[in-house]
Amino acid sequence: MTATVSAEVSPAPAGRRSAPLARVLLAEFRWVLRRPRNLLALLMLAGLPVLIGVGIALTGGPGSGGGPGLLSSVAGNGLVLPVASILLAQSMLLPLVVAMVAADAIAGEASHGTLRGLLIAPLGRVRLVGVKSAGVLLMVLLSVLVLAVSGLLTGLIIVGGDGLVTLSGTTLSLGAALGRIALAVLWCAAQMAAIGAVALALSSLTEHPLVVMAGTMAALIVFGVLGTVPSLEWLRPLLITTDWSAVIDVLRDPIFTDTLSTGLLRAGCYLVIGLSATVLRMVTRDA
């Protein structure tokens, strides 16, 4: 964290037992949103749906029906593009962005020597974890929202479409389609928040942000590989990546809620484990 932010959580005046939480949260949010690489990551995510939409418009076009899987339904059906972009980004780009922010939150502070000041500030270590988690969550929400909004605008402008043609063959109005997209955003944000919690726990164990990013991405790759091995079918319920493809169920009519609910429950477990490990590490960490 910069010197400005560190100053805002420096020891409070006499008579004040803890730093104002609202001011600390505001300082954390400003720090997250001012980092050039975070802004660059948001720009990269905003450009992904544009590239997909332009590629489909140039190579497929309305009514083409060509292309694999969900992407084939984007042609002439632009409201599918936000969900398709989320599905593609959540396998690599979104976790990478989340891991980067979580790595900067604690390991980055430690590497720059500013974590010591935060640990001795009148904030409380559990509240400090809460503030850092809020910063990661802010970036999670912004990342998924930017991806969805860019996909929505790109789909309507470049691809077109009067309504959302679901994977079940029915057509939804614009309002209902926006509700489906919002559901996809919230579901994906929950998955990425779980990744952020685990990455935050790794961040509390090291002073090297690159180790956090590499460890998080390596774990996701291993999970993905393990999930494809037939003999390890019993392990799939334990892997956070198991139901990530379920986000496309929001495009069915009616919505398939089983895998979506299971994915949320699994993400919630990882979220609790990650935050608990972070709190345990921070309350026992030397200043």
Side-chain angles (χ1 to χ4, degrees):
M1 186 177 289
T2 61
T4 301
V5 175
S6 297
E8 295 189 18
V9 293
S10 58
R16 174 172 291 173
R17 301 182 61 182
S18 62
L21 181 59
R23 189 177 69 177
V24 177
L25 279 173
L26 184 59
E28 181 71 14
F29 291 163
R30 284 203 302 262
W31 173 72
V32 170
L33 296 177
R34 286 178 178 177
R35 289 191 69 89
R37 57 180 157 189
N38 290 351
L39 298 178
L40 183 61
L42 292 177
L43 182 62
M44 175 186 64
L45 290 171
L48 176 63
V50 177
L51 292 176
I52 298 174
V54 170
I56 291 175
L58 292 178
T59 61
S64 168
L70 185 61
L71 290 181
S72 63
S73 63
V74 177
N77 190 16
L79 292 176
V80 175
L81 184 57
V83 180
S85 300
I86 289 174
L87 177 63
L88 292 176
Q90 73 179 359
S91 62
M92 186 62 67
L93 289 180
L94 283 173
L96 180 61
V97 172
V98 174
M100 177 183 68
V101 178
D104 287 336
I106 297 180
E109 296 274 16
S111 65
H112 288 93
T114 53
L115 183 62
R116 177 181 175 86
L118 294 175
L119 291 176
I120 64 177
L123 177 63
R125 298 194 178 194
V126 175
R127 292 214 305 172
L128 176 60
V129 173
V131 169
K132 293 299 183 182
S133 301
V136 175
L137 181 60
L138 174 65
M139 193 64 183
V140 166
L141 293 174
L142 284 177
S143 298
V144 184
L145 190 59
V146 164
L147 190 65
V149 171
S150 176
L152 178 63
L153 296 178
T154 302
L156 292 176
I157 294 174
I158 297 181
V159 182
D162 298 328
L164 173 62
V165 181
T166 68
L167 298 180
S168 303
T170 59
T171 302
L172 302 178
S173 64
L174 178 60
L178 292 179
R180 299 295 183 93
I181 295 172
L183 180 60
V185 167
L186 293 176
W187 191 87
C188 180
Q191 306 301 312
M192 293 304 107
I195 295 298
V198 174
L200 205 60
L202 293 177
S203 186
S204 67
L205 297 174
T206 180
E207 298 182 358
H208 305 285
L210 289 179
V211 173
V212 179
M213 296 173 60
T216 303
M217 299 310 298
L220 291 178
I221 293 173
V222 171
F223 281 7
V225 173
L226 293 178
T228 62
V229 179
S231 61
L232 297 178
E233 185 71 20
W234 59 271
L235 190 60
R236 286 177 55 83
L238 303 178
L239 305 178
I240 191 174
T241 57
T242 295
D243 290 325
W244 275 8
S245 61
V247 69
I248 65 173
D249 287 342
V250 303
L251 299 177
R252 306 185 192 279
D253 191 23
I255 299 176
F256 292 175
T257 59
D258 290 344
T259 51
L260 290 173
S261 300
T262 303
L264 281 179
L265 179 60
R266 186 179 295 107
C269 293
Y270 273 88
L271 185 67
V272 171
I273 293 172
L275 290 181
S276 299
T278 305
V279 170
L280 180 62
R281 169 57 179 160
M282 293 302 292
V283 296
T284 57
R285 183 165 185 160
D286 296 333

